[in-house]
Amino acid sequence: MNHPINKSTQQHFDAIIIGAGIIGAAIALGLARKGKKTLNIDALPAAGYGSTSGSCAIIRPYYSTVETSAIAHESHSYWSNWAEFLQADDERGHSKYHAVGCLVSKTENNQYLRPTMAILDTIGAPYEELDQAQYIARMPIFNIDSYTPAKRPDDEGFGEANGKQIGGGVFFPDGGYVSDPQLATHNLQRAAEVLGSSFKFNTKVAAIRQQAGRIIGVTLTNGDQLDAPIVVNAAGPHSAKINAMVDAQQDMKITTRALRHEVAHVPSPEGFNFEQQGCVCSDSDIHAYCRPETGNHILIGSEDPDCDDQQWVDPDDYNKDFTDQWRVQALRLAQRIQTLPIPNQAKGVVELYDVTPDWAPIYDKSSIPGYYMAIGTSGNQFKNAPIVSEMMAQLIVACEQGQDHDQDPVIFNLKYSGRPINLGVFSRNRKINPNSTGTVLG
């Protein structure tokens, strides 16, 4: 829904947020709760209409560092108490969080999850180790043969077990998925609007204006000028193009690019209701992940093995049709689920991720006073949106009050666990995490 701006009275805002996906809408709510008058500008017709709408919207607690795992685990509590977090009604209703848990296979590729379990022990997040029999008992349509290294269907030996077996798995109860990511974004929009925020759709930013070395507002493609001392880049796959408007990337060690991905939707095997009996599953042996999908379907994503070409694209000019990659991902899951039906007609999603080299987001100020970034979030940060709401609001207010976040990083205390998080871990100038998987699972 587009809430038009009255040009005669509403040209000035405390903050303009470029993007109205899940992250941009969340930041609007966070800043509104700090008393800021915000405007989100988005080129698309509605909140969450772009890459957010194609998100798998998986909520899971495991990452490769203590800080990112602590935040991800905390997100489970926010989604479990979604109405309480929003404190606002939505005429479309609230999105639903399916807390079905996450099952991750123990494989050679993930060191049988020993590092992951050590991190979760540190943050106090629950998990259950499963031996091979327990693994099959939880997911009886799975087999435990190993198929690594990843191959493509035309490669010799594709689909043939290597003579080894996976080592069972680990079940993480504090996880699941949100069935309608676009509705979740609309929920955030409505909650922000209650506090006075505005959203302007079908609108593009042509320039970000500066004066005396700091941000003063934006100019739209129709020539309108909107004033604000704060501009936040939450433009998803377009984030690099927005940064280029102010040369923000010139001093950044971590930058972003748009990556094309396909997600396949296939029916559940006959005799098993994956929507009712399944959970989020991640399997680095077959390099695929999946989750239940509405209509007793299975959603299948790729864990980006080396044998697959990564498609870095211009977010304004890329192939939106399915390719053979759809079939590749379905066949990879069929190694684990050998009764998996694979339709002749491809169904699913083709969308873009906005990613950094280590697949961790940038939540940071820039070298330009008043210009902030919440970027590199696609593919793994949907779950953290409600926390990002509060985290970015605190960071922005602290910086505007004079704190030098580069030298004296903002500390954010997680609401449920009380754990302090040094937001410097999301700096544009951080060192790349050597333990990152370098994939969508971060």
Side-chain angles (χ1 to χ4, degrees):
M1 184 175 178
N2 190 352
H3 293 258
I5 297 169
N6 183 323
K7 295 183 180 181
S8 64
T9 61
Q10 293 185 309
Q11 285 289 287
H12 183 85
F13 300 87
D14 297 321
I16 292 173
I17 302 159
I18 302 175
I22 191 74
I23 297 297
I27 293 170
L29 178 57
L31 286 173
R33 286 176 171 168
K34 295 285 189 182
K36 303 295 184 183
K37 179 182 175 184
T38 69
L39 168 69
N40 287 68
I41 299 173
D42 200 288
L44 295 173
Y49 198 85
S51 58
T52 294
S53 67
S55 172
C56 296
I58 290 172
I59 315 300
R60 45 105 176 175
Y62 45 90
Y63 271 87
S64 51
T65 69
V66 169
E67 293 87 356
T68 51
S69 294
I71 293 171
H73 180 245
E74 186 95 351
S75 71
H76 167 77
S77 297
Y78 280 79
W79 290 105
S80 297
N81 299 282
W82 187 231
E84 177 184 326
F85 170 73
L86 292 170
Q87 299 180 16
D89 294 329
D90 187 326
E91 71 279 7
R92 300 181 189 174
H94 287 160
S95 63
K96 183 177 180 180
Y97 172 39
H98 302 267
V100 295
C102 305
L103 175 63
V104 184
S105 302
K106 284 185 174 182
T107 74
E108 292 182 6
N109 296 325
N110 62 26
Q111 302 177 62
Y112 298 98
L113 291 172
R114 287 188 292 267
T116 300
M117 289 185 287
I119 289 173
L120 265 65
D121 286 338
T122 299
I123 66 174
Y127 61 86
E128 178 186 0
E129 284 194 78
L130 307 178
D131 61 24
Q132 292 175 328
Q134 292 168 325
Y135 177 88
I136 294 173
R138 183 169 287 278
M139 200 59 63
I141 56 173
F142 283 8
N143 73 81
I144 57 173
D145 289 333
S146 173
Y147 297 90
T148 197
K151 302 178 181 68
R152 295 188 67 80
D154 294 336
D155 294 341
E156 183 178 353
F158 178 85
E160 297 177 8
N162 60 24
K164 301 179 181 179
Q165 294 182 328
I166 62 171
V170 176
F171 182 73
F172 303 89
D174 291 352
Y177 65 96
V178 174
S179 56
D180 191 338
Q182 189 174 1
L183 177 58
T185 310
H186 191 265
N187 294 162
L188 291 167
Q189 175 190 342
R190 286 290 184 258
E193 287 172 338
V194 166
L195 299 177
S197 295
S198 300
F199 286 73
K200 188 171 181 65
F201 299 112
N202 295 314
T203 303
K204 292 185 178 181
V205 173
I208 300 171
R209 294 182 289 117
Q210 301 179 52
Q211 183 175 313
R214 79 157 291 137
I215 295 296
I216 61 168
V218 303
T219 301
L220 305 181
T221 52
N222 67 359
D224 287 353
Q225 292 189 344
L226 304 176
D227 298 334
I230 296 168
V231 168
V232 183
N233 179 357
H238 286 81
S239 69
K241 290 193 172 187
I242 300 300
N243 276 347
M245 290 183 178
V246 289
D247 288 331
Q249 72 277 10
Q250 295 303 315
D251 75 328
M252 293 171 59
K253 295 178 182 176
I254 305 290
T255 54
T256 57
R257 291 193 288 174
L259 179 64
R260 181 186 179 278
H261 256 248
E262 298 183 29
V263 174
H265 292 185
V266 302
S268 181
E270 187 176 351
F272 187 86
N273 190 320
F274 202 87
E275 186 177 3
Q276 299 297 324
Q277 299 168 267
C279 62
V280 175
C281 300
S282 173
D283 194 328
S284 62
D285 182 82
I286 60 170
H287 297 273
Y289 66 90
C290 65
R291 72 156 173 83
E293 181 60 301
T294 303
N296 193 24
H297 279 64
I298 304 175
L299 175 156
I300 310 168
S302 172
E303 294 191 4
D304 296 312
D306 291 340
C307 62
D308 291 356
D309 292 331
Q310 289 187 315
Q311 299 181 45
W312 303 103
V313 299
D314 179 340
D316 293 312
D317 183 19
Y318 68 97
N319 180 12
K320 299 181 182 180
D321 297 325
F322 290 110
T323 67
D324 189 54
Q325 184 63 27
W326 184 96
R327 173 174 163 269
V328 170
Q329 290 169 204
L331 287 173
R332 283 192 178 131
L333 184 62
Q335 296 172 124
R336 187 68 63 222
I337 308 175
Q338 295 180 342
T339 56
L340 186 72
I342 301 178
N344 291 325
Q345 184 173 359
K347 293 184 178 180
V349 176
V350 178
E351 255 303 343
L352 301 182
Y353 291 154
D354 184 45
V355 299
T356 62
D358 59 3
W359 282 78
I362 298 170
Y363 297 131
D364 201 4
K365 65 186 281 294
S366 72
S367 60
I368 304 158
Y371 184 75
Y372 297 86
M373 297 171 288
I375 60 177
T377 59
S378 303
N380 59 36
Q381 290 297 294
F382 178 96
K383 69 184 70 59
N384 292 335
I387 300 176
V388 172
S389 170
E390 299 170 349
M391 200 163 64
M392 280 298 295
Q394 181 177 328
L395 186 151
I396 291 168
V397 169
C399 291
E400 291 300 303
Q401 291 176 346
Q403 183 169 345
D404 185 350
H405 179 58
D406 286 341
Q407 301 300 320
D408 177 23
V410 174
I411 304 299
F412 177 79
N413 292 310
L414 295 175
K415 179 167 65 177
Y416 289 94
S417 69
R419 176 179 287 273
I421 301 295
N422 182 329
L423 297 189
V425 301
F426 301 113
S427 168
R428 69 199 184 281
N429 291 322
R430 65 178 181 266
K431 293 181 180 179
I432 290 179
N433 172 21
N435 295 317
S436 172
T437 63
T439 75
V440 66
L441 292 179

